[in-house]
Amino acid sequence: MRLILNVWRQESPEHKGAFERYEANDLDPHMSVPEMLDHLNQGLIKKGVEPIAFESDCREGICGQCGIVINGEVQSPESHCTTCQTHLRSFRDGEELYLEPFRAGAFPVKKDLIVDRSAFDRIVAAGGYIGANTGQGNEANSILITHDRAEQAMDAAACIACGACVATCKNASASLFTAAKMHHLNSLPQGEPEAQQRALKMVEQMDAEGFGACSFTGACEVVCPQSISIQHIVEMNRYWRKAL
Amino acid sequence: MLEAKIPEGRLEEKWRNYKAKCRLINPSNRRKYKVIVVGTGLAGSSVAASLCELGFQVEVFTFHDSARRAHSVAAQGGVNAAKDYVNDGDSVWRMFYDTIKGGDFRAREANVYRLAECSASLIDQAVAQGVPFAREYSGYLSNRSFGGVQVSRTFYARGQTGQQLLLGAYQALMRQSTRKSMQLHTRHEVLDLIVHEGKARGVVVRNLDTGELSSHFGQAVVLATGGYGKIYYLSTLAMNCNASAIWRAHKRGAYMAAPSWTQFHPTSLPQLGSYQSKLTLMSESLRNDGRIWVPKTPGDQRAPGDIPDAERDYYLERRYPSFGNLAPRDISSRAAKERIDAGCGVGPMRNAVYLDFRDAIQRLGLDAIRQRYGNLFDMYRKITGSDAYKEPMMIAPAAHFSMGGLWVDYELMSNVEGLFVLGEANFSDHGANRLGANSLLQACVDGYFIAPHTVMHYLAGERIDGPQEEQLQEVGERLLQQCSADLKEMLDRKGNKTPEEFHKELGAVLYGKCGLSRNRKDLLEAKEELRKLKDEFDLNLLVSGASKNINFELEKAGRVRDYLEMAPLIIQDALQREESCGAHFREEHQSEEGEAQRNDEEFQYVSVWEYKGSNEFELHREHLDFEFVKVSERSYK
């Protein structure tokens, strides 16, 4: 299989970036996108060209590192997939692809396809936890949580912090990420005591990081690799209003 | 010399006795001590959060861009705990015995008992943190079974248990990260361990974004850097998992125990092509309802649906009727290899076996299966493009978990004082084979429940303002200069073979000659091949780019070099152990039926290796005394 690849190259946050064109031959349709980049990089290194910097670790869709934009789409052609679960069989032989990093003011480009998503960590640090010290905890079955409620919490907790929701949003809003964590914790009895404070602090941090506002286009849930619903944003707004 | 420091008393009293008697530090004095923690997976995040909550200063390093990305995140199936919620006769003793037996009687009784003993509290604490474990309609926690046991003691959060437990630990860590007493350094990789006057006192790290090197000091160092299964190149591990921190600590004097004991997971997806960079794991929990089989006739090319039951070989059910498809991992993997080698493998490369849900779907209905394993089936579809509700999955064994690792005593401290090693990075609890859902448990128990006590006990005996502090800075500076020169040297080598190419060759040698089964002849050949590969690496390595910014090739070169140095020790360990136990199967030592044969008379010990300079290792033995269980043949028939 053969693909023409236009890849965003940018030496550092301070440098200006541009697309570079590469031809990749002898590809296998079952390769994942990172495997294709590995393959391309091996060739570049041998030619004395600096390899394309991209992040990818688990390669099974759970670590949340690998996200990039392909042909202007954050959405994987395989739908609700991370970049590492996107295979070349989704593209046509000979197709021309444009690969670029996630674009958002709060996600500065570090190099080539790598962005800085540490803003997410700071949102969690602001209140995305239950303040139970380690080594303690009541007998687990003393807190009963209905099956449906546990499932709903898990739906929200499944977020992998890849940033696809931010990258696809026209406002670069981090609402889906923030709401998923907030709703996961606030909807459980263990998280209830801190629910209001959590809502205020997480939203405050989200705004401080420079993410935009949510205008409910629903674009985020379409691209989310974990299929997290915008319903959680409704819940977040409710928590926040209540806490004001 | 190897003092395991196991407390006196009956098995069930040992940990209680230890906690009752270990030294403490007054809360207002704790802030004067600093602990360096390396790694932010379950073990690292949990110990860092715990120590910070206690009031110690903590400095944490991870090479990831966020603590949450450590590879614990990828564990799927579950975490074991002896809660006996399902009333099926489970107990701490039974869990202890299952784990000791599962490890083929090659682990310390006291450690394993403590693991089982702390398991119930871990579930309590995870629930308190908001980990959304699966629940029954009644609201009670739900359990399922894993391999090697006959009870249901596994707690799970869909197929994302590792992710959820890690997020619990990560959130606890982030909660502390806003305090002055915690410094969290993401994108920093450890290059060396600073040992001064026989004690671990700090680390040299490289900022992977800027290339800058720096030294950091404390009164103790905790390594929680995970396993080294990626040494096999194709493995279930993440791309950046590595042995570098533990290997460099080994070169600074920490002993390495049982390095050849690597678990091959039976339910990975098979290799499909040479471009493949890793193998994806499917959770062992699938074996609760899936049946494993191959065609009876070698070379049978028919589609699985066209092969009638009478012509299928459900080989685990046939060979191990009482455990069936839930036989432990080492046994299941070896049985798969035996059938694949016999020509009965399936798939395009004939290197796989079927995992079939047809009967479970008939018995329980499609909805029940979808609810239990839906996300795993989705993942299977995303990777392979095929629908496991309609046709069986194809699975194959793959390198997965390191039972071996740095040697530690009961306090999880290595022979280098002040160096603690937690989670998969140490060798301690799993013997020669780990049971499913025990790794998340061990990482959490080490970090939340054990190290906070043992590290404090150690620190209480340390001075914080001795005259050695100035010298320590000098030692750190000297090591930093060495590391810097070392990086430069690799960049200057300018050969024509990339780290990736070396890694692939290394993996092929190890898979072929020191994998699921081993023999003396192959191991001796491997030793020679590895020597040549290392020589070539020293001459012909090609690392592109520079050291002053993000350079994944330079990171990889260092990791591959450590792997190339470690591989000969793995071979030596496998050669030295003239028996078969757990994951270590020596073809010379098997019964007529092809089952592993242990040699308790000569090998009832852990092989512990001391680094003596390039390719030289001295063997020490930690004899394993079994006071409380009877060492028996490990049978799952």
Side-chain angles (χ1 to χ4, degrees):
Chain A
M1 189 177 178
R2 179 176 158 271
L3 290 169
I4 314 282
L5 301 169
N6 298 280
V7 183
W8 185 262
R9 303 299 309 257
Q10 181 174 342
E11 202 178 318
S12 75
E14 294 77 35
H15 286 77
K16 244 181 107 170
F19 283 105
E20 291 268 349
R21 191 168 187 279
Y22 305 96
E23 277 189 42
N25 300 311
D26 60 358
L27 299 172
D28 188 300
H30 295 299
M31 278 178 172
S32 64
V33 169
E35 283 171 347
M36 169 190 78
L37 289 170
D38 284 344
H39 182 77
L40 180 66
N41 274 344
Q42 290 297 307
L44 294 180
I45 294 166
K46 289 287 170 81
K47 282 189 223 148
V49 179
E50 193 166 341
I52 298 156
F54 67 100
E55 279 189 305
S56 158
D57 198 33
C58 78
R59 300 209 171 168
E60 50 191 76
I62 195 72
C63 76
Q65 286 201 78
C66 60
I68 58 170
V69 177
I70 302 175
N71 286 353
E73 293 279 353
V74 173
Q75 164 82 307
S76 158
E78 289 171 51
S79 115
H80 299 294
C81 277
T82 57
T83 301
C84 68
Q85 292 172 310
T86 303
H87 298 87
L88 305 192
R89 54 182 179 254
S90 303
F91 306 107
R92 288 190 321 277
D93 192 15
E95 195 174 340
E96 185 156 3
L97 303 182
Y98 286 81
L99 311 184
E100 56 188 311
F102 279 177
R103 307 276 188 195
F107 285 172
V109 174
K110 284 162 86 170
K111 186 177 182 181
D112 298 346
L113 302 175
I114 303 176
V115 296
D116 179 353
R117 283 165 295 195
S118 55
F120 277 0
D121 285 335
R122 291 187 290 275
I123 293 173
V124 172
Y129 51 77
I130 288 175
N133 274 2
T134 70
Q136 57 178 284
N138 298 330
E139 156 55 40
N141 259 345
S142 65
I143 310 168
L144 297 185
I145 301 169
T146 62
H147 174 84
D148 291 351
R149 197 186 241 202
E151 290 297 306
Q152 192 187 34
M154 182 61 216
D155 286 343
C159 170
I160 59 173
C162 63
C165 49
V166 173
T168 201
C169 176
K170 61 177 181 164
N171 301 332
S173 166
S175 288
L176 191 64
F177 168 81
T178 309
K181 183 43 61 194
M182 189 188 300
H183 190 42
H184 156 218
L185 299 173
N186 282 14
S187 68
L188 293 172
Q190 307 92 297
E192 209 279 322
E194 295 161 293
Q196 299 204 353
Q197 200 191 12
R198 180 179 300 120
L200 292 176
K201 286 192 166 170
M202 289 182 81
V203 169
E204 187 187 17
Q205 189 64 37
M206 176 176 80
D207 291 343
E209 296 291 346
F211 291 107
C214 172
S215 54
F216 260 104
T217 65
C220 50
E221 77 171 12
V222 175
V223 301
C224 175
Q226 294 286 331
S227 303
I228 291 172
S229 158
I230 53 169
Q231 180 66 32
H232 301 299
I233 303 179
V234 178
E235 300 292 344
M236 172 169 78
N237 292 344
R238 195 175 287 153
Y239 291 126
W240 187 76
R241 285 282 307 168
K242 224 166 125 184
L244 275 183
Chain B
M1 190 153 188
L2 283 173
E3 177 45 64
K5 293 194 258 177
I6 295 169
E8 292 296 309
R10 292 187 300 137
L11 198 49
E12 56 271 32
E13 287 171 352
K14 288 180 189 291
W15 181 232
R16 225 179 309 148
N17 285 347
Y18 179 89
K19 281 196 290 183
K21 290 176 187 162
C22 65
R23 290 187 296 245
L24 299 174
I25 298 171
N26 175 304
S28 63
N29 280 334
R30 290 180 198 155
R31 73 175 85 94
K32 296 173 187 162
Y33 295 84
K34 187 197 268 185
V35 181
I36 305 271
V37 176
V38 185
T40 60
L42 268 175
S45 287
S46 59
V47 75
S50 303
L51 289 169
C52 197
E53 286 170 9
L54 286 170
F56 294 104
Q57 292 179 61
V58 184
E59 207 169 349
V60 189
F61 298 90
T62 171
F63 64 74
H64 290 283
D65 71 328
S66 163
R68 68 182 293 154
R69 310 221 190 269
H71 196 50
S72 306
V73 80
Q76 298 169 5
V79 54
N80 287 332
K83 283 280 200 186
D84 193 28
Y85 281 164
V86 285
N87 197 23
D88 58 0
D90 201 9
S91 63
V92 170
W93 175 269
R94 200 180 283 278
M95 182 169 172
F96 152 72
Y97 186 78
D98 285 344
T99 304
I100 280 272
K101 177 186 168 191
D104 219 352
F105 302 94
R106 289 292 175 268
R108 259 183 228 143
E109 282 181 320
N111 282 58
V112 176
Y113 192 88
R114 177 176 62 183
L115 180 74
E117 189 182 350
C118 295
S119 65
S121 309
L122 171 67
I123 300 304
D124 298 342
Q125 135 140 18
V127 168
Q129 286 174 336
V131 172
F133 287 124
R135 300 265 173 173
E136 304 294 339
Y137 282 96
S138 56
Y140 287 89
L141 286 151
S142 189
N143 289 111
R144 61 186 173 198
S145 293
F146 258 54
V149 304
Q150 290 173 313
V151 295
S152 293
R153 67 163 72 101
T154 306
F155 294 77
Y156 61 100
R158 290 195 194 141
Q160 288 162 252
T161 318
Q163 180 203 27
Q164 293 309 312
L165 284 170
L166 179 64
L167 291 181
Y170 156 78
Q171 287 160 205
L173 179 76
M174 296 317 289
R175 172 172 168 245
Q176 299 303 315
S177 71
T178 52
R179 292 171 63 159
K180 274 206 182 111
S181 52
M182 166 151 327
Q183 285 176 278
L184 171 59
H185 305 276
T186 56
R187 296 281 297 150
H188 278 69
E189 180 159 67
V190 165
L191 297 182
D192 212 340
L193 176 73
I194 299 169
V195 179
H196 183 49
E197 296 183 331
K199 291 176 177 177
R201 294 298 311 276
V203 287
V204 178
V205 298
R206 176 165 180 265
N207 179 328
L208 301 178
D209 285 342
T210 64
E212 193 187 337
L213 304 191
S214 51
S215 303
H216 302 258
F217 307 98
Q219 282 73 39
V221 177
V222 179
L223 295 184
T225 53
Y228 49 85
K230 186 78 193 161
I231 196 170
Y232 284 84
Y233 188 75
L234 282 178
S235 78
T236 64
L237 278 79
M239 300 308 288
N240 297 303
C241 289
N242 64 77
S244 290
I246 60 169
W247 185 252
R248 291 174 196 195
H250 177 59
K251 289 172 78 174
R252 295 278 165 221
Y255 294 172
M256 186 72 76
S260 72
W261 292 352
T262 294
Q263 178 171 78
F264 287 75
H265 197 292
T267 55
S268 162
L269 300 184
Q271 186 187 8
L272 293 171
S274 60
Y275 56 83
Q276 218 158 328
S277 56
K278 71 158 282 178
L279 299 169
T280 305
L281 184 68
M282 299 306 293
S283 167
E284 172 162 312
S285 62
L286 292 166
R287 293 201 273 145
N288 270 287
D289 288 304
R291 295 180 70 196
I292 295 173
W293 63 277
V294 291
K296 274 190 181 158
T297 323
D300 191 337
Q301 303 267 6
R302 285 176 293 173
D306 296 339
I307 303 178
D309 260 15
E311 293 173 49
R312 297 176 174 194
D313 179 9
Y314 293 93
Y315 56 87
L316 285 176
E317 296 171 26
R318 168 170 60 80
R319 286 180 67 179
Y320 308 101
S322 59
F323 282 71
N325 293 298
L326 284 172
R329 290 179 176 176
D330 55 338
I331 286 172
S332 305
S333 286
R334 230 161 21 238
K337 181 181 187 316
E338 191 273 331
R339 283 293 83 200
I340 291 166
D341 290 349
C344 295
V346 298
M349 290 173 80
R350 317 224 66 63
N351 58 352
V353 300
Y354 289 127
L355 176 63
D356 198 338
F357 289 85
R358 182 197 64 183
D359 296 350
I361 291 171
Q362 274 170 14
R363 191 174 75 247
L364 303 162
L366 201 61
D367 284 348
I369 296 299
R370 182 167 285 135
Q371 197 175 5
R372 280 183 202 175
Y373 310 109
N375 68 323
L376 297 171
F377 279 51
D378 286 349
M379 191 166 121
Y380 186 77
R381 183 185 46 77
K382 283 179 185 177
I383 295 165
T384 63
S386 62
D387 181 356
Y389 294 105
K390 295 197 177 124
E391 51 187 301
M393 289 183 180
M394 281 192 283
I395 54 164
H400 181 55
F401 184 88
S402 316
M403 277 78 70
L406 289 180
W407 181 87
V408 289
D409 61 21
Y410 187 76
E411 297 177 329
L412 305 181
M413 187 161 85
S414 86
N415 58 302
V416 175
E417 277 190 65
L419 178 67
F420 292 81
V421 190
L422 273 55
E424 193 177 345
N426 74 27
F427 89 107
S428 72
D429 295 351
H430 308 294
N433 172 58
R434 176 174 67 73
L435 291 184
N438 266 355
S439 80
L440 291 179
L441 176 68
Q442 186 222 338
C444 290
V445 165
D446 284 3
Y448 286 128
F449 296 104
I450 301 173
H453 300 285
T454 62
V455 170
M456 174 138 61
H457 172 75
Y458 171 76
L459 290 175
E462 288 304 290
R463 295 189 50 183
I464 38 179
D465 49 0
Q468 73 277 24
E469 296 309 295
E470 209 164 290
Q471 287 169 14
L472 183 62
Q473 302 285 340
E474 283 167 26
V475 175
E477 183 56 30
R478 200 179 66 236
L479 287 183
L480 187 149
Q481 294 306 334
Q482 272 176 24
C483 291
S484 174
D486 199 47
L487 293 170
K488 185 170 179 309
E489 191 277 323
M490 281 200 291
L491 283 162
D492 289 346
R493 227 175 276 174
K494 304 246 188 287
N496 55 29
K497 206 157 152 179
T498 61
E500 181 78 1
E501 290 171 301
F502 282 106
H503 194 180
K504 269 192 183 173
E505 282 186 39
L506 167 64
V509 173
L510 288 178
Y511 252 106
K513 295 181 171 157
C514 192
L516 268 166
S517 71
R518 297 112 190 240
N519 64 58
R520 169 165 286 275
K521 180 177 155 285
D522 281 355
L523 288 168
L524 289 171
E525 279 172 22
K527 202 171 167 180
E528 192 50 30
E529 287 168 33
L530 291 174
R531 194 186 54 76
K532 282 187 193 144
L533 194 61
K534 178 65 168 54
D535 287 349
E536 194 192 349
F537 183 88
D538 290 342
L539 288 172
N540 200 20
L541 173 70
L542 169 60
V543 186
S544 64
S547 68
K548 287 292 168 209
N549 57 6
I550 295 177
N551 185 345
F552 290 122
E553 287 300 304
L554 184 59
E555 293 169 31
K556 173 127 197 177
R559 293 169 189 164
V560 171
R561 185 187 57 189
D562 293 332
Y563 280 149
L564 283 167
E565 289 181 7
M566 185 176 185
L569 178 58
I570 290 178
I571 300 289
Q572 188 163 342
D573 185 58
L575 260 175
Q576 183 263 334
R577 187 162 285 269
E578 290 285 352
E579 67 162 353
S580 294
C581 62
H584 171 68
F585 188 77
R586 280 287 298 268
E587 289 158 16
E588 299 92 328
H589 305 286
Q590 57 179 313
S591 69
E592 276 178 17
E593 295 150 331
E595 302 297 337
Q597 272 181 335
R598 267 194 347 247
N599 178 350
D600 292 330
E601 223 146 82
E602 289 177 90
F603 288 96
Q604 194 170 298
Y605 62 79
V606 179
S607 306
V608 184
W609 301 94
E610 180 181 357
Y611 185 77
K612 288 282 187 188
S614 63
N615 268 344
E616 295 294 326
F617 308 96
E618 186 182 331
L619 177 67
H620 303 275
R621 295 172 175 83
E622 185 197 334
H623 189 80
L624 296 167
D625 296 311
F626 291 93
E627 279 181 74
F628 304 96
V629 298
K630 191 169 164 285
V631 177
S632 60
E633 191 197 336
R634 179 170 167 250
S635 168
Y636 292 92
K637 291 184 185 287

